[in-house]
Amino acid sequence: MAHESIDALRSARYCSCVHAVEFTTELSGAAVLQIPSEAAAQLPKAGKARVIVLTDPDTDDAEWRTAAYQQFLRDDPPEHAIYDSCR
């Protein structure tokens, strides 16, 4: 069967397990991310790695959104008061 040879080929080329190393670093605007020495020691010396960067939400943006939503609710006409119970 064709599927058996494809699956065997896939498993031979790719490891089905993933080793994750998590760390926190400061972004400085440079094109290079600093990897703490403790995290770097856990990484293999060669090969490929997938990097995912998760950042904290911008607090100024969150404050602005909250203020804008509150202003939106204040500008709501009286006939829309029925929808207040749906929040």
Side-chain angles (χ1 to χ4, degrees):
M1 296 184 127
H3 289 271
E4 290 175 12
S5 62
I6 292 173
D7 291 343
L9 182 62
R10 179 187 177 277
S11 63
R13 286 190 188 168
Y14 302 103
C15 177
S16 62
C17 61
V18 175
H19 175 70
V21 176
E22 183 176 337
F23 59 90
T24 302
T25 190
E26 283 292 320
L27 300 176
S28 64
V32 176
L33 289 176
Q34 295 294 319
I35 300 176
S37 57
E38 306 84 34
Q42 297 178 49
L43 298 173
K45 301 303 177 209
K48 291 185 176 185
R50 180 174 51 172
V51 177
I52 301 171
V53 178
L54 303 172
T55 60
D56 291 333
D58 184 7
T59 56
D60 291 337
D61 189 43
E63 290 172 12
W64 181 87
R65 287 178 196 231
T66 300
Y69 181 69
Q70 289 172 346
Q71 181 64 41
F72 171 77
L73 292 178
R74 280 193 294 271
D75 292 342
D76 206 15
E79 60 269 13
H80 289 174
I82 187 77
Y83 300 112
D84 291 343
S85 62
C86 297
R87 288 187 215 165

